[in-house]
Each structure stands twice: as C-alpha cells, then as structure tokens.
Amino acid sequence: MTTTEATGAAADPASNSTADEAEATADDALRWLLGTAREDGDGGLAWTATPSDDELDPTLYSGTAGVVPVLLEARRHFGDDRYGDAALRAARSLAAALDGLEDDSLYGGLAGLAVVLRAVHDELGDRAAATAADRALERVRTRFDGTRWGDWFDLIGGNAGIALGALAAGEADLAVRALEPYLRTAEQTPAGVQWEAETGREARYHHVSHGTLGIAFALARVGRAAGRDDLVELARAGVADVVARDEAGPTGFLVPHSDPQSHPDRVERFSYGWCHGPTGDAQVFRLLRDVLDDPAWQALADRCWHTVTHSGLPRRPRPGFWDNNGRCCGTAGVLALACDRMAEQGDPPDFARLLVTDLVSRATRDAAGARWSNVEHRATPSTLEPHTGWAMGNAGIARELLRFARISRGADPTYAFAWPDQPAVKSPSPGGR
C-alpha cells in the first residue's frame, strides 16, 4: 500500500489494529461501490442512489458526483490508478448529465458537479472535465434571478452552497453575487440575524445544512477570500443568533433543530450530526477561528465536541436517536470532525476509534464487498437499502475510514479533494495541545 507523504507525526501504536480494520473495510466498500456502477453507453460510469434504483443520480449529495471524491481519495491513498480511471469515466458521465439537470445547487445540482469536475481536472489533468465545469457554472450564472435560484436559500440547496461551489471552482465573482442577497434579506433577531431557508416555510433552521450556520459559513469563507468585510460581519451576526440559542452551556453546545420545530412528528428537537447538530456547528467555529484569526472560536468548537462525545452516540439507545452511519447525518460525519481534531488539536484517538469500530461492526460484508444500511424506525421493514453516495452511503463512509487510517499512522491528514464546507486542518499538531 502507498499513502501520501507523512506529516512527521508518530503513529499511535494503539490505533494500528483499528486503522487496519478501517482500511480493509474501506477497500471492501470501494469494491462494492465499483460493482454497483452503471455504464452510461458512452464509456462513462454513473451511479444510482441505491442499487435497485433505475434512474441515474449525478448529484453530489447522493449520486455520481459524490462518488468521485472517494475515488480520488482511494487513488491517492492506495496508489492505484484504477480508481483514477474510474473517476475519469465518472467525470465523463457527469459532463453528459449537465444539460438535463435543472437544479443549480451545490448538493443537488450543477454547482456540485462543477466542483467535482474541476477537482478531476486538478487531480488528474483532464481538460474535458475543466471545460465541463466551466459550462456548468456558466449555466448557474445565467439562471440567477438576482436573489436566488429557486425556493431554497440555504447551503444544501440554495445560494450559500452555490457560493461555496463557485469559490471552490475558481469563480469568486459568482460566489460574491450569490451571497449579496443575504445582506438585504436578513431577519433581525434579539441576538443577531436569521434567514428563511425555503420560500414560505415558517420554521427557521439554525444549523449547517439548511440553516443560519451554513449561510454564515459561506459568508465568512467567501467574504474573507473576496475582501468583503460586510459579508464577514453578517456571518458574525448570524452566528451570534445561533450561539444565543445554546441550551447546553457553559461546557457544551446544543441548539434546537429549528424554531418553531419543523416536522415535530418525525424530527427530534436535538440532533448531533453534521447536518443539524454540534458536529456541523463545530466546523463553522473552526472556520471562524481561521478566517477571523481568533482562537476564541476554538472554545465553541470544543464545547460542541464535549456535547457530541457525551451524547451517547454511536450507541443507539432508542429508535430515532442515532440510526445513521453516513457522512451527512450519521457516524461518518462525526468521524470527519474527530479526525480534524486529531490532526489539529492533538486529540487522543479513543473516540475516533470508537466510531470506526462501530462502522466496521455495522457493515454488511460478503463477496460483493462492504456496505451499510441505515434505519428508519417508522417504516416496515426498518432496515433501509444500502446507499452508494456521499450523504448516506459508501462514498461518504469509505472516504472517512481511509483518512482515519492515514492519521492513525502519522500520515497526511488532508483529503485528495477538499470539501467546500469542511475547513482544511489549520496546522497538524501531532505533539498535542
């Protein structure tokens, strides 16, 4: 096996066994993923959200665009060009899908495809991918109505995500244009500002995926890159609103899913993952620490981590508490933050090992490879079909397992593909705090 250049950190001997399990499971997960690929008829590779689906899914959230990053990760991690070849073929199918995609967003549309196509060019030198990325962003640019791109106004489906995608793809001017409407649409609150996440929706979301913190993340990152202090200050105001809603201080950090509570019949008031909980909140505080050059923000990230590690996850004490293995809403997303902290803060690997052990134990493994089934306790049967993509399936999980293996061995903590809404580690601190 070949890994990327070591950082100089000494590998933790206690993590070696878990790292080996993580790597082997990721290897099996990649085998299953490649086995579920579909030929698109023109030499490309594409994926559906689940193997039983008939319709190809090109998106970053659940489809082909979300598979490409783990292929790039595997190529660099294992030094195996077959993953690069698969990524090139996947890029070909993404380019072919552009004209039929009406969604412009980061996670469900053209902005996400543009980011991934640009990454394929940067990593593998594929000029056709770069040309397709430019074409995708030009379509996004022309479909902007001056305020938004449809009903959603958040990171997953709206302006904030499109801005992050545009910035990642080298289009800073489009990123700024996407964010300027937040200046005039912000709703004042007693502590700061918030926004309507979707046209006509009464609930105000607070976290990364659909809420205030996701918008603040984009405002801070793009604002600093473009020299727009007004956007950075608006990010501060959004974060101030969310911080004022904390119900776990002073040692923890826990903010409700939304107010008024969205779908109280099927969504718990508090979540703990990336999408609606302190795992994702901590990523915003990490960014603000770096953007504002202020270590005080790290204290809030630490409080988020205290809440996550004392919540009881990845145990599943009751239906609906923690039923997901994936990157968006489950264990793999928490593992991403655990690895960030190991690389940046010199955190001990104990909790990360717990997460990896849980993921390994929950994998279904056979001759086809490894995959994971999430649980929907309100459905019968409650065990769901395995997903392929980034958010809920193999692509998102395998990527984090490979990174854990590297960090545990003292190797490079960075990813082959930098995700638009996860800050890069500031500076690895293998010697601890």
Side-chain angles (χ1 to χ4, degrees):
M1 184 203 75
T2 301
T3 59
T4 47
E5 182 179 354
T7 64
D12 176 6
S15 292
N16 285 345
S17 175
T18 311
D20 291 346
E21 290 179 339
E23 186 175 69
T25 305
D27 192 29
D28 283 348
L30 287 159
R31 181 157 50 86
W32 183 84
L33 202 54
L34 290 176
T36 60
R38 311 281 181 92
E39 302 274 351
D40 73 354
D42 294 311
L45 285 182
W47 278 263
T48 55
T50 64
S52 69
D53 289 343
D54 294 326
E55 185 175 354
L56 297 178
D57 183 343
T59 69
L60 187 64
Y61 191 83
S62 55
T64 304
V67 172
V68 172
V70 76
L71 296 175
L72 297 177
E73 195 75 23
R75 172 183 175 269
R76 186 180 291 187
H77 183 96
F78 292 113
D80 189 336
D81 284 337
R82 68 190 170 114
Y83 295 116
D85 293 341
L88 288 169
R89 294 181 65 193
R92 193 177 307 166
S93 79
L94 291 176
L98 295 180
D99 291 338
L101 196 56
E102 296 303 318
D103 191 307
D104 296 298
S105 69
L106 177 63
Y107 278 100
L110 290 171
L113 271 63
V115 170
V116 170
L117 287 163
R118 177 65 62 185
V120 170
H121 167 264
D122 294 345
E123 189 75 8
L124 302 176
D126 182 19
R127 291 183 176 274
T131 300
D134 292 342
R135 183 158 58 93
L137 285 177
E138 183 57 29
R139 290 192 66 195
V140 172
R141 189 188 300 274
T142 60
R143 296 200 296 209
F144 182 44
D145 71 4
T147 300
R148 59 209 306 161
W149 281 267
D151 289 337
W152 283 96
F153 203 46
D154 59 344
L155 187 148
I156 290 283
N159 291 44
I162 289 171
L164 289 171
L167 184 68
E171 297 284 346
D173 60 329
L174 176 58
V176 169
R177 286 187 63 206
L179 294 182
E180 286 178 330
Y182 290 116
L183 292 164
R184 64 178 185 270
T185 57
E187 302 170 350
Q188 293 294 322
T189 69
V193 298
Q194 64 182 8
W195 289 270
E196 180 186 57
E198 183 186 21
T199 302
R201 185 177 289 272
E202 180 185 10
R204 296 297 182 261
Y205 294 91
H206 308 308
H207 299 280
V208 170
S209 61
H210 293 306
T212 300
L213 287 182
I215 294 169
F217 187 106
L219 289 166
R221 169 161 276 181
V222 174
R224 175 48 53 92
R228 289 288 299 266
D229 290 344
D230 55 342
L231 299 181
V232 176
E233 288 308 305
L234 189 60
R236 282 183 184 268
V239 172
D241 173 78
V242 178
V243 171
R245 298 175 187 271
D246 169 47
E247 298 184 16
T251 58
F253 191 83
L254 190 62
V255 172
H257 173 279
S258 52
D259 288 299
Q261 177 69 4
S262 179
H263 306 298
D265 56 327
R266 62 184 179 90
V267 177
E268 295 206 359
R269 180 157 173 75
F270 295 103
S271 301
Y272 295 91
W274 170 83
C275 50
H276 290 289
T279 298
D281 301 349
Q283 298 289 8
V284 179
F285 299 141
R286 287 181 62 232
L287 177 76
L288 290 172
R289 176 201 64 199
D290 299 343
V291 163
L292 302 176
D293 195 22
D294 184 353
W297 290 101
Q298 184 61 47
L300 277 167
D302 292 344
R303 285 168 54 186
C304 289
W305 192 236
H306 176 88
T307 292
V308 169
T309 56
H310 288 76
S311 67
L313 68 83
R315 297 191 303 275
R316 302 183 177 186
R318 65 179 186 277
F321 170 74
W322 197 251
D323 294 336
N324 194 299
N325 304 293
R327 178 60 175 79
C328 176
C329 314
T331 305
V334 183
L335 178 59
L337 179 59
C339 288
D340 288 335
R341 291 185 62 90
M342 288 170 62
E344 268 184 353
Q345 306 295 115
D347 272 17
D350 305 56
F351 196 73
R353 285 203 302 259
L354 175 67
L355 300 171
V356 169
T357 299
D358 185 78
L359 286 169
V360 169
S361 70
R362 294 186 186 280
T364 297
R365 300 174 83 167
D366 55 25
R371 62 275 191 195
W372 288 264
S373 295
N374 297 319
V375 173
E376 174 47 76
H377 66 280
R378 295 177 298 266
T380 302
S382 60
T383 300
L384 303 177
E385 182 180 3
H387 280 63
T388 60
W390 171 85
M392 304 295 176
N394 272 40
I397 297 170
R399 183 170 178 262
E400 304 308 333
L401 291 174
L402 290 176
R403 187 188 186 212
F404 170 82
R406 284 200 305 280
I407 291 176
S408 297
R409 295 164 177 160
D412 192 344
T414 64
Y415 296 99
F417 168 81
W419 212 259
D421 51 50
Q422 182 180 357
V425 293
K426 183 177 182 181
S427 57
S429 304
R433 295 176 187 269

